[in-house]
Amino acid sequence: MKLPRLGVRSRLLLAIVGAVALALALGVAAFSFLLGQRLSASATSLARAQAAAELSSLEIRDGALIAPEGPDEGTVGTQIWVFAGSRALEAPSVPPEIDEAARSLAGGPERSLDIREETRLYALPVVENGTRYGTVVSAVSLDPYEETGRTALIGALILAALLLGAVTVLARWMLGRALRPVSRMTEDAATWSEHDLDRRFDLGEPYDELTRLGATLDSLLERIAASLRHEQRFTAELSHELRTPLARISAEAELMLQRERTPDEYRSALTAVQRSAGQMTRTVETLVAAARQEARLTRTTSDVRDALAAAVSNVRETAAGIDVRVTLPSEPVRVAVDEELVERTIQPLLDNAVRYGREVVEVSLVRNGSLA
């Protein structure tokens, strides 16, 4: 099944929500880890403090360790063992597992020991003048610390979920506001391209993504408008240039149909029709070439002298009794137009000059500044 494509706003929203969710997850994990380490250190500190308090109450008489009256055995928070060597001078009433673990710490160094992550034991040696007399072991229940950690984790997860929801709503609102101008510009550009190509956004010099988009759309609309103007101009020029030869062809055809003519008259009429058709062909080719040149489909340069000489050579073939004189400069006159297009552009002017001239047609080419 092909999944639907998401829009830009949806993709950005997913990216933002995903990034925030990942950051929150890492933050909650780091918070839980650091809190766990802190609670563990607090439990160890409490157990050591209880052992140190008990150690301060012990006495050494005649080389023997004397324990004071035992603490309240009903309080888990004050579970204390006092060992003279491996012999217990004091021992609370606890499960055998905890008691066995406490006895295993007797005679050892200062250290802590966890029992099934429920109880932490801390052993503190009893030393005086470099001589060790025994060991004090304190027990602390880890249940309150575990409960605090769970409560804090649940609170952090709830807070993270609320933050993620708030970020999602805020990001959706901000993205909507940020992308609303883009949607409006797109709709305006589509409307203008169909009804009003002269409208522009005119956001000034591009300095951010939105103004660059506006400048791009303005350029696109300008190209569309230029293309349509070229098309309209081409249509108008084509209609104007073809109207005269078409009228001559129509007139010759009507005259031929009105009455019988001699073969010479038919030949003359057909010659006129052929000449008008040739003019139409040249006109269409010239306009098409000009349109392609304006659309920049062709890129070339040419010498106007060569094009003018070719056009004069063509017109001399049909210039009966007309003297066509040409004056050309000695230096090349180059233009950024194809030679054939220049010839086709000049040809109708020469045809009209020969057709309506009497004896002499003078053609000259001069440079006016940078133009020919």
Side-chain angles (χ1 to χ4, degrees), residues 20-58:
V20 173
L22 179 61
L24 288 175
L26 293 176
V28 170
F31 169 76
S32 178
F33 174 77
L34 294 176
L35 180 62
Q37 294 294 316
R38 183 61 182 170
L39 291 175
S40 177
S42 297
T44 302
S45 297
L46 178 60
R48 190 182 189 288
Q50 291 182 169
E54 181 67 19
L55 178 62
S56 65
S57 66
L58 298 178

Side-chain angles (χ1 to χ4, degrees), residues 55-75:
L55 178 62
S56 65
S57 66
L58 298 178
E59 296 181 3
I60 299 177
R61 298 176 185 173
D62 300 327
L65 181 64
I66 305 299
E69 184 179 352
D72 184 5
E73 297 180 358
T75 305

Side-chain angles (χ1 to χ4, degrees), residues 226-247:
S227 177
L228 289 179
R229 285 194 295 268
H230 290 160
E231 180 181 351
Q232 293 169 356
R233 185 166 58 251
F234 175 78
T235 303
E237 291 177 354
L238 183 63
S239 175
H240 174 73
E241 294 295 335
L242 294 183
R243 186 177 295 112
T244 300
L246 281 174

Side-chain angles (χ1 to χ4, degrees), residues 229-368:
R229 285 194 295 268
H230 290 160
E231 180 181 351
Q232 293 169 356
R233 185 166 58 251
F234 175 78
T235 303
E237 291 177 354
L238 183 63
S239 175
H240 174 73
E241 294 295 335
L242 294 183
R243 186 177 295 112
T244 300
L246 281 174
R248 286 200 295 264
I249 291 176
S250 178
E252 292 292 346
E254 288 180 1
L255 291 174
M256 291 172 63
L257 293 175
Q258 285 179 359
R259 61 179 178 83
E260 293 291 333
R261 290 188 173 189
T262 64
D264 291 339
E265 290 176 334
Y266 277 120
R267 181 179 297 275
S268 177
L270 290 175
T271 300
V273 170
Q274 184 182 22
R275 187 167 52 250
S276 297
Q279 183 181 355
M280 291 173 57
T281 301
R282 289 192 300 272
T283 299
V284 171
E285 292 175 350
T286 300
L287 291 176
V288 171
R292 295 183 63 185
Q293 183 71 26
E294 288 185 3
R296 297 182 180 178
L297 298 178
T298 58
R299 295 169 181 243
T300 184
T301 62
S302 62
D303 189 350
V304 181
R305 300 180 304 168
D306 297 335
L308 183 57
V312 170
S313 177
N314 293 332
V315 80
R316 277 174 176 167
E317 297 177 359
T318 59
I322 301 296
D323 183 14
V324 182
R325 301 173 184 177
V326 183
T327 303
L328 299 177
S330 59
E331 297 295 328
V333 181
R334 306 202 65 83
V335 292
V337 183
D338 183 72
E339 179 180 336
E340 184 178 359
L341 177 57
V342 177
E343 179 184 347
R344 290 175 178 174
T345 303
I346 298 174
Q347 192 71 55
L349 299 176
L350 296 179
D351 289 339
N352 289 335
V354 170
R355 182 175 299 110
Y356 299 108
R358 294 184 177 181
E359 295 180 356
V360 179
V361 174
E362 293 185 0
V363 181
S364 61
L365 175 63
V366 294
R367 181 184 294 276
N368 181 14

